[in-house]
Amino acid sequence: MRITRTTAGTAFVAGSLVLTLTALAYPAVLGVQNAGNDQARVVTETRYGPLTEADRDFVVKVRAAGLWEHPLGLMAMERGTTPEMREAGEHLVTGHSRLDATCRRIAPELGITLPNLASPQQQQFVSTVSGTTGKQFDTTAVNIMRITHGQIFPVIAKIRANTKNSLVRQLADQANDTVLDHITVLERTGLVNFDQVNFQQSAPPGLPKVQLTPPAPQPGEPVLALTEPPGPDVGTTAPTPGPTVR
């Protein structure tokens, strides 16, 4: 779905953006929250503690979140129309670069294969935002990302409360700090439509699993690394030191 231009400023959020966000539905990173009882099943024992289906799913989907939010952050840094929007973009790029570094560090230790592409739905998020300009770009990007960041909170909390794996706990701690930072800078833009955000967070439509699943990498495909922007540290959480990946 393409978003049509409007001269109504933030009134756009209550109109066509509502339809767009409804059509796009949940971010794939939230697929964890739809998991059944099998998510508690231990898939392997590691020296960092047992790894469950939910643990593995969480690591993969934190990685996938960066694969679409990092490009949106770069767009916001370049195309944002206000200093606050450009600042939000920088925080997104830095935060997801650091989360990605942690995912790439712990995945080999836990026997997890990471995707190199976001899910089809997440790719659609990027396409939708990319097709806008000016204030419409700011508003569309902020509200899509505010919904996705707001909804990941309970997922992180559930993983942090239940996992017995120390590396997954470290990732959950870092993800929680990063998401809070991103929510803060997104809200600082003044463009968040809280009524719509709250509605989307409490009543999301469903999508087929194939739309929510990042595609597996090709055999032997190198792992894509997300990089931080040049310049001063923006204050997001750095990766927690851990085992060296060999």
Side-chain angles (χ1 to χ4, degrees):
M1 178 183 295
R2 293 295 299 274
I3 303 175
T4 56
R5 290 183 62 87
T6 177
T7 59
T10 56
F12 163 79
V13 181
S16 57
L17 180 58
V18 173
L19 298 177
T20 300
L21 294 182
T22 300
L24 292 176
Y26 251 24
V29 73
L30 301 179
V32 175
Q33 66 97 42
N34 292 322
N37 292 334
D38 62 334
Q39 288 284 289
R41 182 174 69 87
V42 174
V43 294
T44 187
E45 295 287 348
T46 77
R47 61 194 179 103
Y48 307 101
L51 186 79
T52 66
E53 292 275 9
D55 294 334
R56 183 172 61 185
D57 199 38
F58 180 67
V59 175
V60 168
K61 289 176 178 176
V62 170
R63 160 75 170 179
L67 291 172
W68 75 276
E69 292 177 28
H70 186 277
L72 279 190
L74 291 173
M75 275 191 241
M77 290 174 65
E78 179 181 351
R79 295 163 55 179
T81 65
T82 66
E84 291 80 10
M85 188 66 191
R86 293 189 291 273
E87 178 191 32
E90 187 173 359
H91 278 243
L92 286 160
V93 172
T94 299
H96 281 290
S97 296
R98 293 176 179 181
L99 280 173
D100 187 70
T102 300
C103 288
R104 288 184 285 108
R105 172 174 58 78
I106 71 175
E109 295 287 326
L110 300 177
I112 297 173
T113 300
L114 297 176
N116 276 330
L117 291 173
S119 73
Q121 185 204 29
Q122 292 169 326
Q123 294 179 47
Q124 182 60 50
F125 286 155
V126 177
S127 178
T128 296
V129 175
S130 181
T132 62
T133 58
K135 195 68 172 181
Q136 184 181 344
F137 167 84
D138 294 350
T139 302
T140 305
V142 164
N143 282 277
I144 287 177
M145 289 189 288
R146 177 59 180 81
I147 289 169
T148 60
H149 282 80
Q151 294 207 17
I152 191 63
F153 258 145
V155 178
I156 297 170
K158 184 175 181 180
I159 291 292
R160 182 61 180 84
N162 295 330
T163 186
K164 298 178 181 179
N165 188 284
S166 62
L167 293 186
V168 175
R169 281 197 297 273
Q170 290 176 11
L171 179 62
D173 288 342
Q174 183 184 348
N176 187 75
D177 291 342
T178 302
V179 168
L180 179 58
D181 173 73
H182 292 177
I183 286 175
T184 301
V185 293
L186 289 168
E187 292 174 347
R188 196 176 295 158
T189 65
L191 297 174
V192 175
N193 182 326
F194 287 97
D195 289 340
Q196 179 60 24
V197 164
N198 291 337
F199 173 77
Q200 287 295 116
Q201 289 177 170
S202 60
L207 283 180
K209 185 176 180 180
V210 66
Q211 293 295 314
L212 303 174
T213 304
Q218 295 298 314
E221 182 180 349
V223 179
L224 173 69
L226 305 181
T227 58
E228 294 190 41
D233 193 300
V234 298
T236 53
T237 305
T240 303
T244 300
V245 176
R246 293 177 295 275

